[in-house]
Amino acid sequence: MTQRIKNKLSNIAMVCTMAILFWSCKDTYKRSGQEKVPLVYPVGIAEDFDLTYTEAREQLGSEDSATSRVIAVLNSPLNNNYENLVFPYQTFPKGLVIDFFNESGEKSIIKADFGIIYAATNVIDLQGNVVIESHDGKKLETTQLYWDQDQDWIFTQEKFKFTNPEDGTIMDGEGMDFNKDISFFNAHKTFGLMTLKEQPND
């Protein structure tokens, strides 16, 4: 009788131990079905990419023709086109150079290590060693800026260095918005020293 009780107790202990082990190994992770991020592939890849933006000098009708002018030329070693997505965009992972022209045909230049053009919003996001050189010699250097092509406005929240040869100043600051030829700008915060060109004595 005593041996039977011992066997039963031993069996009960073994069952409890196995149940605990099984429960501790049970996968309790709640799966949402989105653990694996879907891979996104470009619909097109272009090397030595060259794109010219033009605009008509006059509004065109259905059968009219008029001369157009070049407003910008974009060059990049590599372009990845993701315009097949719900929110379409293009990337320039090896950098890009944009030459843009004012009404008088004067050229200014934007350079960056990386760029994204968002087709839905017509905004260009430029990153890494971004440099703007205007046709009159002004120069802006920063790490990231955005160019809203619809509003023809450029802005950054990052630190910047702005050199103006017209008055011989060098300005350091953080946050700035301006038009594309830097003829008008608004610096949000300036700090450090502003270098002024020494005026010659009469």
Side-chain angles (χ1 to χ4, degrees), residues 2-16:
T2 306
Q3 186 64 34
R4 287 183 181 178
I5 292 173
K6 286 183 180 179
N7 288 340
K8 285 183 179 179
L9 290 175
S10 178
N11 290 338
I12 291 171
M14 185 177 293
V15 170
C16 290

Side-chain angles (χ1 to χ4, degrees), residues 29-37:
Y29 179 70
K30 293 183 179 179
R31 303 188 181 280
S32 64
Q34 297 180 349
E35 292 81 7
K36 186 176 180 181
V37 177

Side-chain angles (χ1 to χ4, degrees), residues 29 38 73 89-90 95 125 156 164 181-182:
Y29 179 70
V73 177
Y89 62 92
Q90 297 184 53
D125 177 4
T156 181
N164 186 352
D181 59 0
I182 324 181

Side-chain angles (χ1 to χ4, degrees), residues 1-201:
M1 189 72 172
T2 306
Q3 186 64 34
R4 287 183 181 178
I5 292 173
K6 286 183 180 179
N7 288 340
K8 285 183 179 179
L9 290 175
S10 178
N11 290 338
I12 291 171
M14 185 177 293
V15 170
C16 290
T17 302
M18 293 300 293
I20 291 169
L21 287 173
F22 178 78
W23 183 81
S24 65
C25 295
K26 185 179 178 182
D27 184 0
T28 58
Y29 179 70
K30 293 183 179 179
R31 303 188 181 280
S32 64
Q34 297 180 349
E35 292 81 7
K36 186 176 180 181
V37 177
L39 296 176
V40 178
Y41 297 99
V43 69
I45 298 174
E47 294 182 343
D48 298 322
F49 183 81
D50 182 63
L51 179 63
T52 301
Y53 295 88
T54 61
E55 71 174 7
R57 296 183 183 274
E58 303 171 6
Q59 188 172 358
L60 298 177
S62 59
E63 298 180 2
D64 292 338
S65 63
T67 58
S68 61
R69 72 177 186 91
V70 175
I71 57 175
V73 177
L74 188 156
N75 292 284
S76 176
L78 182 64
N79 166 255
N80 293 326
N81 188 325
Y82 295 92
E83 295 196 349
N84 55 325
L85 302 179
V86 174
F87 191 72
Y89 62 92
Q90 297 184 53
T91 64
F92 302 88
K94 294 186 177 180
L96 72 164
V97 176
I98 304 173
D99 299 333
F100 53 91
F101 305 87
N102 62 16
E103 293 281 350
S104 303
E106 297 168 316
K107 182 176 77 171
S108 299
I109 302 172
I110 298 180
K111 302 176 184 178
D113 292 342
F114 180 84
I116 306 175
I117 297 178
Y118 297 101
T121 58
N122 215 15
V123 170
I124 301 177
D125 177 4
L126 301 170
Q127 303 172 22
N129 297 311
V130 183
V131 178
I132 299 180
E133 296 176 278
S134 67
H135 63 85
D136 55 1
K138 298 185 185 79
K139 184 177 182 181
L140 177 74
E141 300 167 82
T142 186
T143 57
Q144 183 176 28
L145 62 78
Y146 299 92
W147 178 7
D148 185 337
Q149 297 181 89
D150 290 339
Q151 301 298 321
D152 213 9
W153 202 248
I154 302 172
F155 54 95
T156 181
Q157 298 299 324
E158 304 300 322
K159 292 180 180 179
F160 67 84
K161 179 180 180 181
F162 177 65
T163 305
N164 186 352
E166 290 181 350
D167 54 15
T169 60
I170 298 174
M171 179 194 305
D172 292 305
E174 185 173 346
M176 182 188 233
D177 57 283
F178 50 95
N179 58 359
K180 65 184 178 183
D181 59 0
I182 324 181
S183 59
F184 174 85
F185 69 89
N186 173 40
H188 304 170
K189 184 193 299 183
T190 58
F191 51 84
L193 298 174
M194 179 179 289
T195 306
L196 300 174
K197 181 171 64 177
E198 184 177 347
Q199 297 295 327
N201 296 325

